[in-house]
Amino acid sequence: MPELYEVLSKEDIDKKVAAVARRISSDFKGSELVMIGVLKGSFVFLSDLARQLTIPVKIDFVGVSSYGDDVASSGRIQLNREIGIDIKEKNILVVEDIVDTGITINYLIDYLKSFNPLTISICTMIDKQQRRESEIRIDYACHEIQEGFIVGYGLDYAENYRHLPELYHLKL
Ligand code: PRP
């Protein structure tokens, strides 16, 4: 039976999301920002983050998957939803639930660059560094961890636990 150990409470998450939202609102004040959420995991974080911003934004989503029902990335990225709005010469904020190996975010940066945006910034709820395969500049990270499989607040294991309001370490 999998066991869950709380990593961040609802209150911890709220504070961290608010702090990052303040930085983003200040950094992009007066400029156009398009938030691109990476489905499915980012749906909870993006909705909280967007509502804490004090600047107007546009929102779109891309769908990618690499983990299937496994705890380790397959390394093969499937793009199952393309962006649907024009991002040419726009400032883009990619919103992830977690950056782990970095394979997904690197793939997405290349994909988004092909639409000629002005800038691409990366925002993640969890920055997990232990398995990072190449150096990635993460502009906004709410919480850093070294190891462990994290679920809740949008993150799943075999599609379970996404609905939990807190973040947990899953022990199988
Ligand atoms: C997760 C997460 C990131 C990616 C990060 O997605 O949402 O997109 O893995 O891992 P990486 O840095 O090792 O590439 P997943 O493939 O589990 O799909 P999901 O968002 O639908 O859960």
Side-chain angles (χ1 to χ4, degrees):
M1 190 66 186
E3 291 170 63
L4 297 176
Y5 299 93
E6 191 175 282
V7 173
L8 292 179
S9 68
K10 277 198 273 191
E11 292 71 25
D12 296 332
I13 292 171
D14 282 352
K15 281 189 206 145
K16 285 171 183 279
V17 173
V20 159
R22 277 195 296 274
R23 285 179 53 210
I24 294 168
S25 299
S26 152
D27 291 352
F28 291 95
K29 200 170 176 195
S31 63
E32 275 189 280
L33 183 64
V34 181
M35 302 173 81
I36 309 253
V38 185
L39 294 171
K40 296 185 227 174
S42 72
F43 80 104
V44 181
F45 175 43
L46 185 140
S47 67
D48 279 352
L49 182 65
R51 286 176 294 171
Q52 295 265 13
L53 295 176
T54 56
I55 53 169
V57 291
K58 290 181 178 162
I59 297 174
D60 199 0
F61 292 93
V62 287
V64 290
S65 187
S66 63
Y67 279 65
D69 285 351
D70 212 341
V71 292
S73 172
S74 67
R76 288 185 306 276
I77 310 290
Q78 282 184 310
L79 185 69
N80 42 41
R81 187 192 189 278
E82 302 235 12
I83 49 165
I85 60 177
D86 186 9
I87 60 166
K88 192 173 176 207
E89 285 161 29
K90 299 284 193 313
N91 294 303
I92 305 304
L93 183 70
V94 181
V95 180
E96 266 286 23
D97 50 333
I98 185 165
V99 177
D100 186 356
T101 62
I103 292 171
T104 305
I105 206 76
N106 273 335
Y107 172 91
L108 279 174
I109 289 169
D110 283 348
Y111 168 71
L112 293 170
K113 272 185 182 164
S114 71
F115 296 94
N116 297 318
L118 192 60
T119 62
I120 300 177
S121 305
I122 309 297
C123 176
T124 187
M125 181 66 214
I126 306 272
D127 177 6
K128 180 175 159 183
Q129 295 162 357
Q130 195 189 46
R131 300 194 296 186
R132 194 67 44 84
E133 293 196 353
S134 58
E135 205 175 309
I136 294 166
R137 180 180 48 84
I138 295 180
D139 303 276
Y140 308 96
C142 291
H143 189 65
E144 294 177 7
I145 60 163
Q146 278 305 314
E147 55 183 345
F149 195 84
I150 305 295
V151 296
Y153 200 64
L155 290 95
D156 75 311
Y157 171 59
E159 297 301 331
N160 295 308
Y161 310 116
R162 292 194 198 272
H163 63 292
L164 298 175
E166 305 82 14
L167 277 158
Y168 293 89
H169 180 193
L170 177 79
K171 249 185 148 179
L172 292 171

